[in-house]
Every structure is written in structure tokens, then in C-alpha cells.
Amino acid sequence: MRDSSPGTRLPSVRELTVAHQASPVTVSEAIRHLVAQGLVEARPGRGTFVAARPEPPHAPDLSWQTVALGPRRFGESEMQALLALPPAGAIPLTGGYLDADLQPAAALGAALARVARQPAAWQRGPAEGREDLRDWFARAAGGGLRARDLVICPGGQAALSSALRALAAPGDTLLVESPTYLGALAAARASGLHVVPVPADRDGVLPDQLAAAFARTGARLFYCQPLFANPTGASLAEHRRAAVMAAVRANGAFLIEDDYARDLVIDADVPPPLAAGDPDGHVVYLRSLTKSAAPGLRIAAIGARGPAGSRLRAARLLDDFFVAGPLQQAALEFVTGPAWGRHLRALRRDLKVRRDALLTALHRHLPDLVPPVIPRGGLHLWARLPDGTDDTGLATAAAAEGVVVFPGRPWFAAEPPAAHLRLTYAAAPPDLMDEAVRRLARAFRH
């Protein structure tokens, strides 16, 4: 058919079959594809016709949105980069979740399949989450909280964002360890908070500096990762825990304890959460299952005693009403069954193998990047770069060599004192660690 102007009638299926020596099934399927693409239209009882061509749209002018939206929020591009999937063929030495080989996908899938067949799982439950799941989180927190103090959230980031909005108002000050979790910085600034960094070292935040920051700023909120902090891997030392809590209490403040790494222990005996020894409600406790299980298990809990707990529950209700019932019940079945213990034992062993493989590769190819203190849990190594190194430029060069690393600069709330890389050992198998560091070493030479 040579005439393709709109409204032209196509030959019949029989005519097209003869003309193209194709089967009627093939011709009919081709016509269906053309209809789906909007190129032709079928008119019942009349035949098939060339569709009218729509007028080409004018080039959109979206420039007005720049004025309407105002300045871009801090951390948006960094968070997008942090969550980006690695390109094909690249070896990831960055990421916040377990490699697929470390995830208990079969056990989670079996639990969700059992739950999905139960009609009650699809009904609306308590807005604060299942009581039995909240009770599990409360017991895991060491007894400092009760089920009624907690609310279930769709992941730790959602819990943290809600806590910052519930416990502070725009313009308030949030104290953070320096460096600290990039997602906390982004959430704080999205909530309009003024973020003030407090120095930390291999033993966690410095209590005297924390007390001074409280006195100088009048802050009433401190965000802390006492166990295997992201990105440094440092844990708050036993001899500092009491002093940190004393500074919080003396200033009538809250400490948001992000206990994300409780299940990511490698070769350490970990202390109980700070919340376990907090009778007066200064600690706001957050724990997620996502980091230690799978990205799709968006289940976390956050809680506090007294009016702070009430505000947290109200904030979560306004955000999304409640977390999906089947996911809550599947998470409960998983963590209360034998599969949870088996998973944690295997994870502890596998994380050690991967961490040690990355350290071995660094010793072999980039010994200056080996951290002076090796984290005994968590997912990351915090590698200081030689003076004068551009961490962002190095990350770009590494990506060109086929290894994905994350620069240290975004993890600081103020100017970084030195350049760093965060190197994740949980995102790639151990047999690729040597090649990954070889590629990183080539990037150094550019």
C-alpha cells in the first residue's frame, strides 16, 4: 500500500496475506501491533484505516518551575548517587544494602507466600503497627521500651525523617557526629533544621565536644549511630557512653539512636542499645530490618517514652497511615522463626570473608588506604586518602575504570578535614575484591 495518508483504508487480511505470502495469523498480529502503536485504527464492520497523525506538540517551556520551586535541597543528588544501581560490568564498592547472595530471599519469599494466603493479613491493622511485631522490636532493644512506645515504619529512612519532623521545628538545631550518615543530613536539611557537626574519633563522639555543642547552640536533638557508625565503622566506647548520656540529660535533649547495624556484627561483642539504660525517655530508638535482610523488607521501628512517643506515632500516621499488613506479618514470621538465626550466623561469617578480602586487596595494591582501625561490624571501610587527593574526582576516575566507590565529602556536615572514600565490602563477592582494588589503583594513577 503506497498511500498512507490518514483515513486510507488498509487492504483486507486476505489481500495482505496473498501480497506478502504470510499466514493470516502473522498479518493479524502485525495489525494488532500497529493499532497498539496508534498508527492504524480498526473500525468494526468497516475495516482498518491509517490513523490520523496528531499535531506535533510545541516544545515545552518548563523554565518557570525554577522560580516556583526555589533552591534545590541539600543532599538530593548525593542520595540519588548513593542509591544508583552500578552499571553493567562495574564492581560495586559502594551501597547500603546486602549483595543479593547474602539476602535470605528464599526464607522471606516463603514467609510472604504463607501470609499472602491469609485474608486477615490484607485487612487494616493498628496504625502504629502489629503489636506482636512492636513487641519483638521492644524486646530486641533491651527492655528499655515497650510495644506501646513503638511504631512500625516503612524503612529506617522514613522513620528518621518522621522523627526529625516530630521532635524539631524548622530552624531548630540538630547535632550530629562528624562524619555521619548522608541520609540523616539530607533528611535534616529537608526538614529545615540547622545541622551542627560534633567531632568523633575511633571511639565515637567526643563527650566534651558534645557538651560544648549543646551549650553553644541550645540544641535539643542529637543524632547518633553508637554501633558501627556509617560511614566510619566506629562504635561508641564503653567509657564514653555514660558521659554522652550525661550531656544529653543535662541539656534536656533527645538522642536519636540509629541502631542500624545491630545485626551486622562480624567479630565483636556488642553492648546493649543506649535505650536499654534510659529510664527517663531521652533516647529515641530506631532499628531497621532492611539493612540486615533485604532492600525489599521495608520494615523498621522507632520509639520513645512519653509525649515524644505520642508525637512520633502521630507523625507516622500523617505520613502514610500504616505499613502494609502482609509485609509486617511476613517480617514477624521471619524474625521469630529458625530462619532468622541461621541467616544471622551465615551473614556474620560471609561479611567477615568479604571484609577481609577487601582488606587483603588494599594491603596488596593500595596499602595507604588501609584504615588504622578495622571495623568489627557494619558494611563499610572508611579510607583516608593522601593529602591533596580530590575524592570526587577519584570516584569519577574509578567509575571510568569499572569500579564504583563513594567520595567522603558528602558525609560531612561542614568542611571535611581530609579526603576519604567509603568502601563497601557487602555489595560485591569476595573473589572480585582484588580486581576491584586493582581498578581503583589504576584510577589513582590517572
Side-chain angles (χ1 to χ4, degrees):
M1 182 186 70
R2 295 185 178 181
D3 186 2
S4 61
S5 58
T8 302
R9 186 180 185 277
L10 271 65
S12 67
V13 171
R14 178 179 296 178
E15 291 171 324
L16 290 171
T17 298
V18 172
H20 295 281
Q21 296 183 347
S23 72
V25 173
T26 300
V27 172
S28 297
E29 184 66 21
I31 292 175
R32 278 196 292 273
H33 279 294
L34 292 173
V35 170
Q37 295 172 24
L39 299 176
V40 301
E41 57 179 339
R43 302 175 185 174
R46 298 181 57 192
T48 306
F49 298 81
V50 177
R53 298 181 180 89
E55 290 294 325
H58 69 278
D61 180 11
L62 305 179
S63 61
W64 65 271
Q65 294 187 5
T66 302
V67 176
L69 291 172
R72 188 173 186 177
R73 291 175 177 174
F74 168 89
E76 288 182 351
S77 59
E78 290 84 357
M79 289 296 292
Q80 290 170 357
L82 188 65
L83 295 174
L85 296 175
I91 304 175
L93 290 184
T94 186
Y97 304 107
L98 299 177
D99 182 18
D101 291 342
L102 302 180
Q103 299 170 20
L108 289 173
L112 190 57
R114 289 192 298 271
V115 167
R117 294 191 293 269
Q118 302 175 22
W122 296 94
Q123 303 307 309
R124 188 186 73 177
E128 61 270 23
R130 292 178 60 107
E131 183 176 4
D132 44 10
L133 182 57
R134 288 183 285 120
D135 182 66
W136 181 87
F137 275 107
R139 287 184 282 108
L145 296 166
R146 299 153 297 181
R148 64 175 177 268
D149 298 320
L150 293 158
V151 58
I152 302 300
C153 309
Q157 187 67 25
L160 178 58
S161 296
S162 295
L164 294 176
R165 291 198 310 275
L167 303 176
D172 285 354
T173 296
L174 173 70
L175 304 182
V176 299
E177 300 165 289
S178 182
T180 193
Y181 171 47
L182 171 59
L185 297 177
R189 291 193 167 118
S191 297
L193 303 185
H194 177 55
V195 181
V196 173
V198 182
D201 60 17
R202 65 181 63 182
D203 289 331
V205 68
L206 300 171
D208 57 340
Q209 294 289 341
L210 178 63
F214 274 125
R216 185 177 70 254
T217 65
R220 294 293 180 267
L221 199 58
F222 170 46
Y223 170 77
C224 182
Q225 292 182 323
L227 192 62
F228 310 131
N230 178 10
T232 65
S235 292
L236 184 60
E238 181 64 32
H239 66 273
R240 290 187 181 176
R241 289 165 65 95
V244 166
M245 287 306 304
V248 172
R249 286 193 297 269
N251 288 276
F254 292 103
L255 184 154
I256 300 178
E257 179 180 13
D258 186 349
D259 202 19
Y260 89 99
R262 176 78 30 193
D263 304 315
L264 302 175
V265 180
I266 295 177
D267 47 18
D269 295 323
V270 297
L274 294 173
D278 171 49
D280 299 322
H282 288 277
V283 177
V284 178
Y285 183 72
L286 191 168
R287 182 176 177 184
S288 172
L289 296 176
T290 306
K291 297 288 189 185
S292 55
L297 189 63
R298 305 299 299 171
I299 292 290
I302 191 166
R305 293 178 179 270
S310 298
R311 292 200 181 187
L312 284 173
R313 293 187 290 275
R316 288 304 313 152
L317 180 65
L318 290 174
D319 280 346
D320 46 29
F321 290 174
F322 50 84
V323 177
L327 196 59
Q328 290 190 60
Q329 188 170 338
L332 179 67
E333 288 198 13
F334 176 59
V335 297
T336 57
W340 176 240
R342 290 196 299 268
H343 167 63
L344 291 183
R345 289 189 294 271
L347 182 60
R348 184 169 188 158
R349 179 185 64 247
D350 292 340
L351 286 179
K352 183 178 189 307
V353 170
R354 293 180 181 226
R355 181 200 63 183
D356 293 351
L358 178 55
L359 287 169
T360 298
L362 289 173
H363 277 290
R364 181 176 298 135
H365 304 295
L366 290 170
D368 290 344
L369 267 61
V370 176
V373 178
I374 306 305
R376 304 181 68 184
L379 304 174
H380 317 289
L381 299 181
W382 185 238
R384 176 167 177 165
L385 300 175
D387 291 343
T389 304
D390 177 1
D391 56 343
T392 302
L394 177 59
T396 300
E401 292 290 343
V403 57
V404 185
V405 297
F406 207 87
R409 194 174 312 176
W411 307 89
F412 290 91
E415 296 83 358
H420 292 79
L421 289 181
R422 193 193 71 163
L423 303 176
T424 302
Y425 47 80
D431 57 357
L432 290 182
M433 294 297 182
D434 192 79
E435 176 59 24
V437 178
R438 283 179 183 271
R439 296 180 184 185
L440 182 58
R442 289 200 297 269
F444 261 100
R445 294 194 289 268
H446 289 339

